[in-house]
Structures are given as C-alpha cells and as structure tokens.
C-alpha cells in the first residue's frame, strides 16, 4: 500500500527524485520587483511595495485595513497586545497548532489555556470552549476571569489549522457573550473562507503568515487584518517603534517594536499576490486528486469542513493508529517523499506543561494519527 501512495505522489509531482512537503514557488515578477526595490534604495519598511502589499491583502480578504509585519509570530504578539492582553493575563487557544501561537501569547507575558479541537475542522471546538468557560470562568465588571487562577481571560485565539476554517462564527458568538476579544490565527489560511467570508475577518483582528513554506511567501513576513481603524492605527504605530511622525525629530511616545515588514519582502509579496488565485487553484486541483486517490485506499483524506472553502495549505491523511502512521512516515521519507506528523501538542512541551487544559480528547487522538503529505504548487 505505501509503495502505491509513493508512486502516486511522485507521478503527481512529475516524478521528481525528491518531493518536498511545500516548497516556495516564484511564478511572476519577484525578481523584477526586487531589482526595482534595490534600485530605489528603499529596502526597509519605507517603500512603495509595503503599502501596495497591504492594499492588495485588504482588497483580497475584504478587510478594511492590513498592516504588514516582519513575521506571523510578531503579528500575533502585537495583535494581542493591542487587543489588551497584559502580563499575568490568560489567553485561550488550542494545543493542536504550531508553537508560535503559544509563544506569541507568552511574549505578551500571558499564559495559554488549551481547549480541545473539532475532528472535522482541526480547529478550536466552539462547544468545548463554551463548556469550559461556563464551568471555569466568571464575569465581573464586564471582564472575564478564571475561577481557579483568578487571572483575567483577555483574548481567545482559535487557529485555522492547515488552512481549514474552524467554526469561527460560533466561537465569536461565545467570545462576545463573555466580553473576550477574538484574534484569529489565520497564519496558514490565506485564501480560506467560511460561509463566503474570509478567515481572519470574523474577530477583532486576524493574522497571516508568509513564511517560506506557506501558500504564498515573502521569505519571512506576516500581516494583521482588521476592520477596526483605531486598532490598525495602533498596530502601525507600535510596530514602527512608536515614533511620532516628524520631518527630522525622533520622538517616541511609548515602548514600541521594530516589527514592520521591509520593502524587499513586500516586493516579493506583491508578485506572489498577483498569482495567488492561480496558486490556490493549483493547490485545490492537487487536493481533489488526492481525495479521489485515497478513496480507494481506505485511508481518510481530510476534506474542507462544511460551508467552507479551504486553501488546502497542507493536505492531511488520517491513519487508524500511531503504528500505521509511524510506518508510513518512515517509508515515505526513506523513499523520496517528504511527509511529517502534526506538531507535538503544546501542553506536552516542557514550557507549557503546567498550563490549564480541558480533556483534549480529540487533540490527543489526532496528533497520533495525522500526517501531512506533499502539498506544494505543481509546476
């Protein structure tokens, strides 16, 4: 069986000797824009491409504002900070995600609380979130606190895992009920929609990532999207060292961050955005071919959830048990096809072992059975 899967994947990717998981592709004017950027000498965050990349992202997502950031982790940290997260607070998120989600929370001085995921979306379970809040939280003076730790719960961070939209509309309803802002970790979800609405635009803000392995890349980079003008203005101010605009004076009115995306990265981003629909269509075609193939194998292929359109950033398959999964990982990686397991659950990492969790039944089950398979653009 494993040899049939390897043969299919290699054929899908033109029988290349090594099939990476998700390499970057440059299909357009990346070199031209980089050259123009260098010729102008505006290579830092002051330059035409930063604004252009932000405008293109806002237009594509339907968000009113987009602010380009140096990477996705920094974007999440700043979004949480502007949302009001302070040292000593708690932020509710999920353990089935890349470590950057919890790290960004920690960079704010806050502590993560881990809630289980849904089996169909791989994202935070709205039902389990509501159950946990009903049993572990109380509202006082319009703010929500943890009954056990007495800490303020100052944000909720659901993740659109592998580009699959979570039930963010229901999560927002629960968050509003408890007066908690929601910041969407949409790092993996550029091009993903739920009920016709772009992932990252349901909450107070959403963040995107343009790391080298993402659907589109700027080498390194992130974006904060929001419909809140004051939020966007505060983000831009904080990420440009909180400098007050002036012709020549250096006056800063608070402790800021040097987190703005450089113009050279944005130049790549503009070229990538020009081909985003082509890339998304290519990835969807690949996913549909995987779907048809795996129907014949008895191995479950993870499909986009109901009422959603996923970008299929990383295609995923599900084995019956850990032993079968590990055997597949070993065979494929020894035979020129890069595959990988999901991340180790964050509550199992040394620095997050003491964090509060719910039962995490689904997270534990999936983390031992799921595998990502090659998902890059086929060229």
């Amino acid at each position: 069986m494993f040899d049939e899967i390897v043969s299919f994947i290699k054929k899908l990717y033109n029988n290349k000797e090594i099939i990476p998981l998700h390499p970057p592709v440059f299909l357009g004017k990346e070199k031209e824009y980089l050259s123009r950027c260098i010729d102008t000498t505006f290579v830092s965050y002051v330059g035409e491409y930063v604004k252009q990349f932000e405008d293109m992202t806002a237009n594509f997502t339907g968000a009113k504002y987009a602010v380009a950031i140096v990477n996705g982790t920094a974007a999440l940290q700043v979004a949480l900070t502007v949302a009001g997260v302070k040292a000593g607070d708690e932020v509710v998120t999920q353990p089935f995600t890349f470590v950057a989600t919890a790290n960004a929370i920690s960079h704010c001085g806050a502590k993560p609380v881990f809630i289980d995921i849904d089996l169909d979306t791989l994202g935070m379970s709205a039902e389990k979130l509501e159950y946990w809040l009903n049993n572990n939280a109380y509202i006082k003076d319009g703010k929500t606190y943890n009954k056990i730790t007495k800490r303020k719960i100052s944000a909720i961070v659901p993740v659109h895992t592998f580009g699959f939209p979570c039930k963010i509309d229901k999560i927002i309803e629960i968050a509003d009920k408890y007066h908690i802002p929601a910041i969407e970790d949409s790092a993996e979800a550029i091009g993903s929609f739920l009920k016709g609405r772009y992932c990252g635009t349901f909450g107070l803000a959403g963040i995107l990532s343009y790391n080298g392995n993402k659907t589109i890349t700027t080498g390194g980079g992130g974006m904060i999207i929001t419909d809140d003008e004051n939020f966007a203005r505060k983000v831009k101010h904080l990420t440009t060292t909180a400098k007050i605009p002036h012709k020549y004076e250096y006056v800063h009115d608070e402790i800021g961050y040097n987190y703005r995306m450089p113009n050279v990265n944005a130049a790549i981003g503009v070229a990538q955005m020009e081909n985003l629909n082509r890339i998304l269509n290519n990835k969807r075609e690949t996913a549909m071919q995987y779907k048809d193939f795996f129907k014949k194998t008895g191995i479950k292929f993870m499909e986009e959830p109901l009422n959603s359109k996923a970008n299929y950033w990383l295609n995923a398959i599900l084995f019956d048990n850990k032993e079968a999964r590990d055997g597949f990982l070993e065979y494929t990686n020894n035979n020129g096809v890069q595959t990988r397991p999901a991340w180790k659950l964050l509550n199992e990492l040394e620095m997050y072992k003491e964090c509060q969790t719910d039962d995490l039944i689904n997270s534990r089950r999936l983390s031992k059975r799921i595998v990502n398979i090659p998902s890059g653009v086929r060229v």
Side-chain angles (χ1 to χ4, degrees):
M1 173 68 71
F2 292 171
D3 60 336
E4 292 178 19
I5 298 173
V6 165
S7 295
F8 176 79
I9 293 174
K10 286 195 172 183
K11 183 179 179 181
L12 199 60
Y13 284 91
N14 300 318
N15 291 309
K16 295 177 182 176
E17 186 175 351
I18 302 295
I19 314 298
L21 190 68
H22 198 295
V25 293
F26 304 102
L27 306 173
K29 298 181 178 179
E30 287 87 354
K31 289 182 180 180
E32 177 184 333
Y33 294 164
L34 277 172
S35 179
R36 188 187 304 172
C37 179
I38 292 168
D39 288 343
T40 65
T41 73
F42 288 102
V43 295
S44 188
Y45 65 80
V46 177
E48 61 174 313
Y49 289 115
V50 176
K51 179 65 165 59
Q52 188 177 349
F53 189 33
E54 291 172 337
D55 290 344
M56 292 174 80
T57 303
N59 289 335
F60 182 84
T61 62
K64 291 182 179 178
Y65 307 96
V67 184
I69 308 295
V70 70
N71 59 53
T73 309
L76 183 54
Q77 177 194 349
V78 172
L80 289 169
T81 299
V82 176
V85 176
K86 292 180 171 56
D89 290 351
E90 290 180 347
V91 174
V92 179
T93 189
Q94 60 191 66
F96 192 82
T97 180
F98 184 53
V99 71
T101 305
N103 286 349
I105 294 167
S106 299
H107 293 330
C108 295
K111 199 170 187 66
V113 173
F114 296 115
I115 299 298
D116 203 9
I117 60 174
D118 285 324
L119 292 174
D120 57 341
T121 71
L122 309 181
M124 182 185 289
S125 167
E127 290 75 16
K128 291 196 172 187
L129 171 66
E130 186 167 36
Y131 181 85
W132 187 87
L133 287 169
N134 286 343
N135 289 277
N136 292 275
Y138 66 94
I139 299 172
K140 180 179 179 183
D141 300 327
K143 298 176 181 178
T144 300
Y145 298 86
N146 187 320
K147 290 178 182 178
I148 298 173
T149 65
K150 310 304 180 186
R151 296 189 185 102
K152 179 186 172 186
I153 302 171
S154 53
I156 296 172
V157 180
V159 182
H160 300 295
T161 311
F162 302 150
F164 294 130
C166 67
K167 296 171 184 173
I168 186 63
D169 52 343
K170 296 179 181 178
I171 290 171
I172 296 297
E173 289 178 9
I174 297 163
D176 289 345
K177 176 183 173 182
Y178 280 89
H179 314 293
I180 306 172
I183 305 295
E184 295 174 66
D185 187 339
S186 305
E188 303 164 2
I190 190 164
S192 295
F193 296 80
L194 177 68
K195 299 178 180 177
R197 187 172 175 181
Y198 191 85
C199 291
T201 65
F202 288 81
L204 176 59
I207 69 102
L208 305 172
S209 172
Y210 307 103
N211 190 34
N213 67 342
K214 293 299 191 295
T215 300
I216 63 171
T217 184
T218 58
M223 190 78 70
I224 296 175
I225 55 177
T226 182
D227 285 341
D228 189 311
E229 182 179 3
N230 290 329
F231 191 97
R233 186 182 295 115
K234 181 71 170 179
V235 164
K236 187 170 288 189
H237 182 62
L238 273 184
T239 55
T240 48
T241 66
K243 184 179 183 293
I244 298 174
H246 193 278
K247 289 181 180 179
Y248 51 83
E249 292 283 359
Y250 288 89
V251 180
H252 308 260
D253 60 359
E254 58 185 309
I255 298 172
Y257 307 93
N258 188 15
Y259 280 178
R260 286 284 273 155
M261 179 184 286
N263 202 36
V264 288
N265 297 93
I268 299 172
V270 168
Q272 294 266 295
M273 283 295 291
E274 290 174 347
N275 281 290
L276 178 54
N277 285 324
R278 176 184 172 188
I279 289 169
L280 290 170
N281 289 336
N282 185 295
K283 288 173 64 61
R284 175 165 287 273
E285 288 173 4
T286 300
M288 294 306 101
Q289 291 196 51
Y290 274 138
K291 175 183 173 181
D292 290 342
F293 172 78
F294 281 106
K295 279 181 181 176
K296 308 166 189 173
T297 67
I299 298 171
K300 180 178 175 56
F301 175 75
M302 297 298 300
E303 298 182 50
E304 58 198 354
L306 189 66
N307 297 320
S308 71
K309 185 176 182 179
N311 65 2
Y312 285 103
W313 170 54
L314 286 185
N315 292 297
I317 55 176
L318 199 63
F319 287 90
D320 292 335
N321 52 62
K322 184 176 183 298
E323 290 71 27
R325 183 207 68 172
D326 290 350
F328 179 77
L329 287 168
E330 187 72 17
Y331 184 88
T332 50
N333 282 284
N334 285 340
N335 286 276
V337 174
Q338 186 181 17
T339 59
R340 75 175 190 194
W343 317 278
K344 190 178 182 70
L345 295 183
L346 300 190
N347 62 294
E348 296 175 357
L349 299 178
E350 192 62 36
M351 59 279 200
Y352 297 122
K353 281 184 177 178
E354 303 305 315
C355 293
Q356 193 171 356
T357 75
D358 67 358
D359 57 33
L360 303 184
I361 290 174
N362 294 336
S363 299
R364 291 192 176 99
R365 180 185 178 198
L366 283 171
S367 68
K368 294 179 173 62
R369 300 168 59 211
I370 204 162
V371 172
N372 291 128
I373 55 180
S375 307
V377 175
R378 292 178 292 119
V379 292

